[in-house]
Amino acid sequence: MRFDGMVRAKSGGSGRNVRRLGALRRAGLVGVCVAALGLVPAAAVATPGSGVSGTVVAQGTSESKLKIKPPHGPTDVTFREITVQPGGSTGWHTHSGQLIAVVKAGTLTRTLDDCSVEVTPAGTSFIEPAGSNHRHIGRNLGTEPVVLWVTYLLPEGSALSYDAEAADCPGEERS
């Protein structure tokens, strides 16, 4: 028995319906083939780039998995270099969205809302969480400038940071 792609109509059927069904099957097969071509990796037809260069300006490794939570809705993405001179501080503040920071030079010492202290040397990275319940201060307790490369992921129109009251940490200056 041979199947030639045509379905035979039962008695009383029209030859036109049989041809229409065969044409529909062929169109469906063509559609499946076209869809399958969309799954072929683009590299197979890629062209080499030209006239493009890139420079790594800062790179850091996180101590653990980075949990990034961008804002809902339109997001302002800002890249910023921040320098904290020896003895300097950021002041207590919060952010309305997350920040991804890389310490390019120096060592940043951060005191968090729960009074825990995180020391982040050059070549490492960290996330600063969003929200007024995540106030913190960054200090340069070293002898060389701290240079940070920071990516802000903020709700559209938000300020980069908001001043906050200092946490009541034992032995902590309120600056």
Side-chain angles (χ1 to χ4, degrees), residues 82-131:
I82 300 169
T83 302
V84 182
Q85 296 298 327
S89 82
T90 63
W92 285 90
H93 63 280
T94 63
H95 307 281
S96 60
Q98 280 190 323
L99 277 64
I100 304 168
V102 174
V103 180
K104 182 176 181 184
T107 298
L108 181 68
T109 302
R110 293 182 301 137
T111 302
L112 308 180
D113 189 60
D114 64 359
C115 298
S116 63
V117 175
E118 293 184 4
V119 177
T120 313
T124 59
S125 62
F126 59 92
I127 296 277
E128 284 192 347

Side-chain angles (χ1 to χ4, degrees), residues 92 111-116 132-137 165-169:
W92 285 90
T111 302
L112 308 180
D113 189 60
D114 64 359
C115 298
S116 63
S132 60
N133 57 332
H134 293 289
R135 62 187 166 169
H136 55 278
I137 186 171
E165 291 293 319
D168 190 19
C169 299

Side-chain angles (χ1 to χ4, degrees), residues 5-175:
M6 297 293 284
V7 176
R8 303 283 179 222
K10 292 190 179 190
S11 61
S14 160
R16 188 180 320 150
N17 287 339
V18 172
R19 284 189 298 277
R20 190 175 301 152
L21 186 55
L24 286 173
R25 283 187 178 182
R26 281 189 296 279
L29 180 60
V30 169
V32 168
C33 290
V34 168
L37 284 174
L39 299 176
V40 173
V45 293
T47 58
S50 66
V52 177
S53 65
T55 302
V56 175
V57 292
Q59 182 174 339
T61 302
S62 66
E63 290 184 8
S64 61
K65 181 178 180 181
L66 295 178
K67 297 176 184 171
I68 299 170
K69 298 176 186 174
H72 297 291
T75 302
D76 288 339
V77 179
T78 303
F79 300 96
R80 187 175 179 209
E81 180 181 88
I82 300 169
T83 302
V84 182
Q85 296 298 327
S89 82
T90 63
W92 285 90
H93 63 280
T94 63
H95 307 281
S96 60
Q98 280 190 323
L99 277 64
I100 304 168
V102 174
V103 180
K104 182 176 181 184
T107 298
L108 181 68
T109 302
R110 293 182 301 137
T111 302
L112 308 180
D113 189 60
D114 64 359
C115 298
S116 63
V117 175
E118 293 184 4
V119 177
T120 313
T124 59
S125 62
F126 59 92
I127 296 277
E128 284 192 347
S132 60
N133 57 332
H134 293 289
R135 62 187 166 169
H136 55 278
I137 186 171
R139 291 189 175 93
N140 181 352
L141 304 178
T143 58
E144 67 174 289
V146 170
V147 179
L148 305 171
W149 284 64
V150 182
T151 302
Y152 296 75
L153 303 170
L154 304 173
E156 181 179 30
S158 296
L160 295 178
S161 65
Y162 298 93
D163 292 340
E165 291 293 319
D168 190 19
C169 299
E172 181 77 20
E173 289 181 30
R174 296 186 62 84
S175 62

